[in-house]
Amino acid sequence: MKTTVSFCDLAHEEHSCNAIPLGISMVASYSLEKFAGKIDAEIFKHPKDYIAYLEKGFPRIACFSNYIWNLNLSYKIALSIKGRSPGAVVVFGGPNYPLEPQEQEAFLQAHPAMDFYVFRNGEIPFSLLFEALRQYDFDVEKLKADKVMIPGCHYLSNGKLVVGEDVAAMRDLDEIPSPYLTGLCDKFLANE
């Protein structure tokens, strides 16, 4: 059975930015190729579309981009997911995250609905996180109790920061299938 994963780069309805959610689409595209037949992914930009999706059921993994303009919006939805589906895994990633370990720990403590934070480049770290979650049968608490070091991923275990080693940026971007050519971004092109 495929694992359902939602990738969200949510924007406020009145936000002036109408950009295609390229960053998170690239993570989704890479994941779909790497885990062909094992993952079912969908990308969301508009909160009302994502809320309608959640009304039909919850993904096994809910991923959110984190920018200064969408943290509160995305986190509020993440809190709702955790409240209604505690077993769902919530992953955040993006540049709106501290660089100092002490501040990273405080950030994650202030956002307990975030199970994991993908630090910097997302494609490889998310794939390593997905593999680790599968090995633990998506038992987040057991994975965290074992303090598994996942490259490029941060999380809290007993309130303390666990940091996987940094992952270098990909040198060959051709390793990432184009989210435009795979059709992942079609619905955004039609609406923009």
Side-chain angles (χ1 to χ4, degrees), residues 112-184:
M114 293 181 190
D115 291 309
F116 299 96
Y117 202 95
V118 173
F119 186 55
R120 295 202 165 117
N121 306 300
E123 293 81 8
I124 292 171
F126 178 77
S127 71
L128 296 172
L129 173 61
F130 184 76
E131 287 173 347
L133 287 165
R134 285 181 56 212
Q135 289 174 355
Y136 275 80
D137 197 28
F138 297 92
D139 186 338
V140 171
E141 297 310 314
K142 174 106 175 75
L143 185 151
K144 288 182 173 187
D146 288 350
K147 294 187 170 108
V148 176
M149 303 296 276
I150 305 164
C153 295
H154 298 183
Y155 62 89
L156 296 178
S157 179
N158 292 322
K160 297 297 179 190
L161 183 66
V162 176
V163 175
E165 65 186 53
D166 286 344
V167 175
M170 296 174 87
R171 292 200 173 280
D172 182 5
L173 294 181
D174 287 334
E175 292 180 42
I176 306 170
S178 168
Y180 294 107
L181 297 178
T182 60
L184 283 172

Side-chain angles (χ1 to χ4, degrees), residues 4 50 54-62 77-90 113 115 138 140:
T4 56
Y50 190 53
L54 294 174
E55 288 172 356
K56 297 174 190 166
F58 294 96
R60 190 73 187 98
I61 304 173
I77 292 174
L79 277 171
S80 176
I81 291 170
K82 280 300 209 182
R84 295 169 55 204
S85 181
V89 181
V90 172
D115 291 309
F138 297 92
V140 171

Side-chain angles (χ1 to χ4, degrees), residues 8-84:
C8 301
D9 184 10
L10 301 177
H12 294 274
E13 293 299 324
E14 300 301 320
H15 195 277
S16 62
C17 179
N18 290 322
I20 303 296
L22 182 60
I24 206 157
S25 296
M26 291 175 72
V27 176
S29 183
Y30 182 82
S31 300
L32 282 167
E33 181 175 271
K34 184 162 181 70
F35 302 106
K38 297 177 182 152
I39 189 171
D40 182 26
E42 193 165 347
I43 302 167
F44 296 91
K45 176 181 174 180
H46 302 289
K48 64 183 176 187
D49 295 339
Y50 190 53
I51 291 167
Y53 167 84
L54 294 174
E55 288 172 356
K56 297 174 190 166
F58 294 96
R60 190 73 187 98
I61 304 173
C63 302
F64 297 90
S65 66
N66 178 24
Y67 297 98
I68 194 167
W69 57 82
N70 73 351
L71 172 60
N72 293 338
L73 171 63
S74 296
Y75 190 70
K76 185 170 183 174
I77 292 174
L79 277 171
S80 176
I81 291 170
K82 280 300 209 182
R84 295 169 55 204

